[in-house]
Amino acid sequence: MTAPTAERFATLTVVPDGDVYIVGSLHSAEYLAVPEIGATVIGWLQAGESIERCAARAEELAGEPVDVADFVDTLVEHGLLTEAGDDATDGAGDTGSAAAGWRVVGRVLFHPVGWAVHATLAVAAVLLLVARPQLRPHYTDLVPTRSALSSLLLVSLVTVACILVHEAGHVAAAARLGLRSSLSVSRRLYFVVFQADLTRLWSVPRRQRFGPLLAGMALDAGTLGAFLIAQELLAPRLDPTVVQLLRTLVLVQISGILIQTWIFMRTDLYALFAAATSSRNLWVLKGAVLRRWLRRDTAADRATLSDATARELRWAKLFVCLYVPGLVYALGYLAYFGIPGSLRILGMAIGAIRDPGLTTLAGWSGVAALVFVFLPASLALGGAARSGLRLLRTAARRRAPVASDA
């Protein structure tokens, strides 16, 4: 294999992070944690030194042989030495224009003045919710129309729009730093969510990571303040349907902000916690710690725990302590908003089926509403049940006696 050139090494970023250095690249979402000698070697390679010369200098510095060639192979295998032209997200044309557009949006929204506007609107939201009880959301705001199906569709549309704005905030704030990110769809507990891949943030100093990680919640809080101000000032002059839409938007945004505080679900607050504590393997380490406490740890868990530093273990244990209460908090939210709202939708749907009957459009809209609500819930519960059964089978196998040849 041809040795990478100094120009390709120049694309690497080396950022100190605690007792290690994070090696990343603006052209890759991958990163590696390396010791100080690795960061030093990369500096030599970026200066144009040959691999052989770097190996000799590293051996002299470390007092023992250092396999620089293998180190370089590892960088290549992780895609960190990809040239700009090799990256599918690089290049000119539409992709380049889109990246430039995101940078412009990021510079506007997350300029210091932009952050001040978000903060002012967030403070206004808190003050209005405290001082004006009638502005506080209620579970009935999940049913903004008289039809179960149209309410579900409207709330779903509003939720998707708010989530996309939230994730666009992450993308724009990252683009402001010259970093690209991608959007994906996943499920957390009983929610379908979009999420931005911010892995490239490891390529910048830790302090610069906090802005992109906070950007989504900042937009949520800012738009929440704007919706509440509009409701407070304009409600007497607005059509009741518009006022109800504003109330639904308020509920969706408050729900979004609350969900981001559920640190146990790898939300924005989880990412902030990991960045603030320099815990690069927090989620895996948390699982290993929890299984050890439950005496269900595996060989992989023991290896993970032995490789972790004392500081990483302390933060992982604290995270476990936040994990279980967080589940209770999430279930409380479900009991206060989710279940009553679902029951209200259920009653409206059954009423539509029973009264007009299935010979009418209203009756069939009730059927569609029931499918809309309970099919995703059934799939989620089915997935949870399968996960639970797998855990029970694993535990049973571990308790089973091992057969002997004697």
Side-chain angles (χ1 to χ4, degrees), residues 131-158:
R132 306 283 287 174
Q134 64 269 30
L135 296 179
R136 298 171 193 169
H138 190 263
Y139 77 87
T140 53
D141 295 324
L142 288 172
V143 191
T145 72
R146 295 182 179 181
S147 165
L149 182 59
S150 61
S151 290
L152 286 169
L153 294 175
L154 179 59
V155 171
S156 298
L157 181 62
V158 165

mmCIF file of all heavy atoms in Angstrom, residues 131-158:
data_model
loop_
_atom_site.group_PDB
_atom_site.id
_atom_site.type_symbol
_atom_site.label_atom_id
_atom_site.label_comp_id
_atom_site.label_asym_id
_atom_site.label_seq_id
_atom_site.Cartn_x
_atom_site.Cartn_y
_atom_site.Cartn_z
ATOM 1 N N ALA A 131 -46.481 32.824 35.442
ATOM 2 C CA ALA A 131 -47.417 33.901 35.771
ATOM 3 C C ALA A 131 -48.801 33.704 35.183
ATOM 4 O O ALA A 131 -49.782 34.251 35.707
ATOM 5 C CB ALA A 131 -46.843 35.242 35.289
ATOM 6 N N ARG A 132 -48.912 32.956 34.102
ATOM 7 C CA ARG A 132 -50.198 32.798 33.425
ATOM 8 C C ARG A 132 -50.575 31.322 33.340
ATOM 9 O O ARG A 132 -50.311 30.628 32.352
ATOM 10 C CB ARG A 132 -50.121 33.394 32.016
ATOM 11 C CG ARG A 132 -49.646 34.832 31.980
ATOM 12 C CD ARG A 132 -50.746 35.784 32.392
ATOM 13 N NE ARG A 132 -51.748 35.900 31.339
ATOM 14 C CZ ARG A 132 -52.884 36.575 31.472
ATOM 15 N NH1 ARG A 132 -53.163 37.161 32.624
ATOM 16 N NH2 ARG A 132 -53.728 36.652 30.469
ATOM 17 N N PRO A 133 -51.238 30.803 34.390
ATOM 18 C CA PRO A 133 -51.587 29.371 34.417
ATOM 19 C C PRO A 133 -52.408 28.919 33.210
ATOM 20 O O PRO A 133 -52.310 27.761 32.784
ATOM 21 C CB PRO A 133 -52.389 29.235 35.721
ATOM 22 C CG PRO A 133 -51.938 30.382 36.563
ATOM 23 C CD PRO A 133 -51.651 31.494 35.611
ATOM 24 N N GLN A 134 -53.204 29.819 32.646
ATOM 25 C CA GLN A 134 -54.047 29.431 31.514
ATOM 26 C C GLN A 134 -53.232 29.120 30.267
ATOM 27 O O GLN A 134 -53.753 28.515 29.303
ATOM 28 C CB GLN A 134 -55.074 30.522 31.196
ATOM 29 C CG GLN A 134 -54.479 31.843 30.737
ATOM 30 C CD GLN A 134 -54.230 32.795 31.896
ATOM 31 O OE1 GLN A 134 -53.960 32.358 33.018
ATOM 32 N NE2 GLN A 134 -54.323 34.090 31.612
ATOM 33 N N LEU A 135 -51.968 29.519 30.243
ATOM 34 C CA LEU A 135 -51.111 29.220 29.102
ATOM 35 C C LEU A 135 -50.448 27.846 29.209
ATOM 36 O O LEU A 135 -49.866 27.370 28.237
ATOM 37 C CB LEU A 135 -50.020 30.289 28.962
ATOM 38 C CG LEU A 135 -50.482 31.712 28.641
ATOM 39 C CD1 LEU A 135 -49.278 32.645 28.556
ATOM 40 C CD2 LEU A 135 -51.264 31.748 27.327
ATOM 41 N N ARG A 136 -50.527 27.248 30.387
ATOM 42 C CA ARG A 136 -49.869 25.953 30.571
ATOM 43 C C ARG A 136 -50.605 24.871 29.779
ATOM 44 O O ARG A 136 -51.837 24.863 29.719
ATOM 45 C CB ARG A 136 -49.837 25.584 32.052
ATOM 46 C CG ARG A 136 -49.039 26.572 32.902
ATOM 47 C CD ARG A 136 -49.214 26.307 34.380
ATOM 48 N NE ARG A 136 -48.696 27.422 35.176
ATOM 49 C CZ ARG A 136 -48.896 27.560 36.484
ATOM 50 N NH1 ARG A 136 -49.611 26.632 37.144
ATOM 51 N NH2 ARG A 136 -48.391 28.601 37.120
ATOM 52 N N PRO A 137 -49.858 23.953 29.181
ATOM 53 C CA PRO A 137 -50.496 22.924 28.350
ATOM 54 C C PRO A 137 -51.251 21.899 29.174
ATOM 55 O O PRO A 137 -50.957 21.680 30.353
ATOM 56 C CB PRO A 137 -49.312 22.290 27.621
ATOM 57 C CG PRO A 137 -48.157 22.486 28.547
ATOM 58 C CD PRO A 137 -48.390 23.821 29.205
ATOM 59 N N HIS A 138 -52.232 21.288 28.542
ATOM 60 C CA HIS A 138 -53.036 20.236 29.145
ATOM 61 C C HIS A 138 -53.106 19.086 28.146
ATOM 62 O O HIS A 138 -52.941 19.289 26.935
ATOM 63 C CB HIS A 138 -54.431 20.774 29.461
ATOM 64 C CG HIS A 138 -55.265 19.862 30.297
ATOM 65 N ND1 HIS A 138 -56.200 19.009 29.752
ATOM 66 C CD2 HIS A 138 -55.297 19.665 31.638
ATOM 67 C CE1 HIS A 138 -56.787 18.322 30.731
ATOM 68 N NE2 HIS A 138 -56.262 18.703 31.885
ATOM 69 N N TYR A 139 -53.365 17.878 28.645
ATOM 70 C CA TYR A 139 -53.375 16.736 27.735
ATOM 71 C C TYR A 139 -54.432 16.881 26.647
ATOM 72 O O TYR A 139 -54.316 16.305 25.563
ATOM 73 C CB TYR A 139 -53.558 15.429 28.504
ATOM 74 C CG TYR A 139 -54.960 15.152 28.974
ATOM 75 C CD1 TYR A 139 -55.879 14.514 28.151
ATOM 76 C CD2 TYR A 139 -55.367 15.501 30.266
ATOM 77 C CE1 TYR A 139 -57.172 14.246 28.572
ATOM 78 C CE2 TYR A 139 -56.655 15.241 30.697
ATOM 79 C CZ TYR A 139 -57.550 14.616 29.843
ATOM 80 O OH TYR A 139 -58.824 14.357 30.276
ATOM 81 N N THR A 140 -55.478 17.672 26.916
ATOM 82 C CA THR A 140 -56.512 17.881 25.899
ATOM 83 C C THR A 140 -55.951 18.621 24.679
ATOM 84 O O THR A 140 -56.571 18.571 23.599
ATOM 85 C CB THR A 140 -57.686 18.673 26.478
ATOM 86 O OG1 THR A 140 -57.195 19.888 27.076
ATOM 87 C CG2 THR A 140 -58.413 17.852 27.545
ATOM 88 N N ASP A 141 -54.810 19.276 24.822
ATOM 89 C CA ASP A 141 -54.205 19.960 23.676
ATOM 90 C C ASP A 141 -53.639 18.967 22.668
ATOM 91 O O ASP A 141 -53.248 19.368 21.559
ATOM 92 C CB ASP A 141 -53.107 20.918 24.145
ATOM 93 C CG ASP A 141 -53.663 22.051 24.998
ATOM 94 O OD1 ASP A 141 -54.781 22.501 24.697
ATOM 95 O OD2 ASP A 141 -52.994 22.465 25.964
ATOM 96 N N LEU A 142 -53.580 17.694 23.053
ATOM 97 C CA LEU A 142 -53.202 16.660 22.092
ATOM 98 C C LEU A 142 -54.349 16.315 21.145
ATOM 99 O O LEU A 142 -54.167 15.561 20.193
ATOM 100 C CB LEU A 142 -52.757 15.382 22.833
ATOM 101 C CG LEU A 142 -51.405 15.432 23.538
ATOM 102 C CD1 LEU A 142 -51.200 14.183 24.382
ATOM 103 C CD2 LEU A 142 -50.277 15.564 22.521
ATOM 104 N N VAL A 143 -55.515 16.866 21.435
ATOM 105 C CA VAL A 143 -56.694 16.606 20.595
ATOM 106 C C VAL A 143 -57.244 17.969 20.152
ATOM 107 O O VAL A 143 -58.255 18.448 20.672
ATOM 108 C CB VAL A 143 -57.765 15.810 21.365
ATOM 109 C CG1 VAL A 143 -58.851 15.318 20.415
ATOM 110 C CG2 VAL A 143 -57.141 14.642 22.103
ATOM 111 N N PRO A 144 -56.587 18.616 19.186
ATOM 112 C CA PRO A 144 -56.954 19.991 18.836
ATOM 113 C C PRO A 144 -58.209 20.125 17.973
ATOM 114 O O PRO A 144 -58.709 21.238 17.789
ATOM 115 C CB PRO A 144 -55.721 20.494 18.067
ATOM 116 C CG PRO A 144 -55.110 19.261 17.491
ATOM 117 C CD PRO A 144 -55.364 18.171 18.483
ATOM 118 N N THR A 145 -58.720 19.031 17.417
ATOM 119 C CA THR A 145 -59.926 19.106 16.594
ATOM 120 C C THR A 145 -60.991 18.157 17.154
ATOM 121 O O THR A 145 -60.731 17.403 18.094
ATOM 122 C CB THR A 145 -59.627 18.719 15.126
ATOM 123 O OG1 THR A 145 -59.395 17.306 15.038
ATOM 124 C CG2 THR A 145 -58.404 19.457 14.608
ATOM 125 N N ARG A 146 -62.158 18.171 16.523
ATOM 126 C CA ARG A 146 -63.254 17.308 16.988
ATOM 127 C C ARG A 146 -63.182 15.907 16.415
ATOM 128 O O ARG A 146 -63.994 15.056 16.758
ATOM 129 C CB ARG A 146 -64.600 17.946 16.621
ATOM 130 C CG ARG A 146 -64.855 19.263 17.332
ATOM 131 C CD ARG A 146 -66.214 19.831 16.973
ATOM 132 N NE ARG A 146 -66.477 21.077 17.678
ATOM 133 C CZ ARG A 146 -67.588 21.780 17.563
ATOM 134 N NH1 ARG A 146 -68.568 21.346 16.748
ATOM 135 N NH2 ARG A 146 -67.752 22.900 18.237
ATOM 136 N N SER A 147 -62.233 15.663 15.530
ATOM 137 C CA SER A 147 -62.073 14.346 14.912
ATOM 138 C C SER A 147 -60.803 13.690 15.449
ATOM 139 O O SER A 147 -59.745 14.329 15.508
ATOM 140 C CB SER A 147 -61.983 14.481 13.392
ATOM 141 O OG SER A 147 -61.485 13.304 12.805
ATOM 142 N N ALA A 148 -60.919 12.422 15.837
ATOM 143 C CA ALA A 148 -59.751 11.710 16.346
ATOM 144 C C ALA A 148 -58.664 11.611 15.282
ATOM 145 O O ALA A 148 -57.480 11.861 15.548
ATOM 146 C CB ALA A 148 -60.155 10.312 16.818
ATOM 147 N N LEU A 149 -59.042 11.261 14.060
ATOM 148 C CA LEU A 149 -58.054 11.077 13.006
ATOM 149 C C LEU A 149 -57.373 12.392 12.631
ATOM 150 O O LEU A 149 -56.147 12.453 12.517
ATOM 151 C CB LEU A 149 -58.706 10.460 11.772
ATOM 152 C CG LEU A 149 -57.747 10.160 10.603
ATOM 153 C CD1 LEU A 149 -56.655 9.193 11.039
ATOM 154 C CD2 LEU A 149 -58.521 9.624 9.401
ATOM 155 N N SER A 150 -58.156 13.446 12.430
ATOM 156 C CA SER A 150 -57.546 14.730 12.059
ATOM 157 C C SER A 150 -56.666 15.268 13.190
ATOM 158 O O SER A 150 -55.630 15.888 12.936
ATOM 159 C CB SER A 150 -58.628 15.749 11.696
ATOM 160 O OG SER A 150 -59.485 15.998 12.796
ATOM 161 N N SER A 151 -57.041 15.016 14.437
ATOM 162 C CA SER A 151 -56.204 15.433 15.570
ATOM 163 C C SER A 151 -54.867 14.702 15.546
ATOM 164 O O SER A 151 -53.801 15.309 15.726
ATOM 165 C CB SER A 151 -56.914 15.159 16.892
ATOM 166 O OG SER A 151 -58.009 16.020 17.068
ATOM 167 N N LEU A 152 -54.925 13.391 15.302
ATOM 168 C CA LEU A 152 -53.704 12.607 15.245
ATOM 169 C C LEU A 152 -52.796 13.078 14.112
ATOM 170 O O LEU A 152 -51.583 13.242 14.285
ATOM 171 C CB LEU A 152 -54.036 11.129 15.065
ATOM 172 C CG LEU A 152 -54.585 10.407 16.297
ATOM 173 C CD1 LEU A 152 -55.110 9.033 15.898
ATOM 174 C CD2 LEU A 152 -53.517 10.271 17.364
ATOM 175 N N LEU A 153 -53.387 13.314 12.956
ATOM 176 C CA LEU A 153 -52.594 13.751 11.814
ATOM 177 C C LEU A 153 -51.994 15.125 12.054
ATOM 178 O O LEU A 153 -50.813 15.373 11.739
ATOM 179 C CB LEU A 153 -53.451 13.762 10.551
ATOM 180 C CG LEU A 153 -53.930 12.391 10.062
ATOM 181 C CD1 LEU A 153 -54.879 12.550 8.876
ATOM 182 C CD2 LEU A 153 -52.745 11.506 9.682
ATOM 183 N N LEU A 154 -52.768 16.031 12.626
ATOM 184 C CA LEU A 154 -52.274 17.382 12.881
ATOM 185 C C LEU A 154 -51.157 17.370 13.913
ATOM 186 O O LEU A 154 -50.112 18.006 13.720
ATOM 187 C CB LEU A 154 -53.427 18.277 13.349
ATOM 188 C CG LEU A 154 -53.049 19.730 13.679
ATOM 189 C CD1 LEU A 154 -52.450 20.414 12.453
ATOM 190 C CD2 LEU A 154 -54.261 20.495 14.196
ATOM 191 N N VAL A 155 -51.363 16.643 15.014
ATOM 192 C CA VAL A 155 -50.333 16.586 16.053
ATOM 193 C C VAL A 155 -49.070 15.916 15.509
ATOM 194 O O VAL A 155 -47.949 16.347 15.800
ATOM 195 C CB VAL A 155 -50.863 15.838 17.297
ATOM 196 C CG1 VAL A 155 -49.733 15.574 18.291
ATOM 197 C CG2 VAL A 155 -51.958 16.656 17.965
ATOM 198 N N SER A 156 -49.241 14.882 14.697
ATOM 199 C CA SER A 156 -48.078 14.212 14.108
ATOM 200 C C SER A 156 -47.315 15.161 13.188
ATOM 201 O O SER A 156 -46.078 15.217 13.225
ATOM 202 C CB SER A 156 -48.525 12.974 13.321
ATOM 203 O OG SER A 156 -49.148 12.040 14.172
ATOM 204 N N LEU A 157 -48.043 15.912 12.364
ATOM 205 C CA LEU A 157 -47.404 16.859 11.459
ATOM 206 C C LEU A 157 -46.653 17.938 12.232
ATOM 207 O O LEU A 157 -45.503 18.276 11.914
ATOM 208 C CB LEU A 157 -48.460 17.490 10.549
ATOM 209 C CG LEU A 157 -47.952 18.507 9.520
ATOM 210 C CD1 LEU A 157 -46.985 17.842 8.544
ATOM 211 C CD2 LEU A 157 -49.120 19.135 8.775
ATOM 212 N N VAL A 158 -47.284 18.476 13.266
ATOM 213 C CA VAL A 158 -46.651 19.511 14.090
ATOM 214 C C VAL A 158 -45.410 18.952 14.786
ATOM 215 O O VAL A 158 -44.354 19.601 14.842
ATOM 216 C CB VAL A 158 -47.667 20.043 15.128
ATOM 217 C CG1 VAL A 158 -46.965 20.838 16.216
ATOM 218 C CG2 VAL A 158 -48.717 20.901 14.442
#
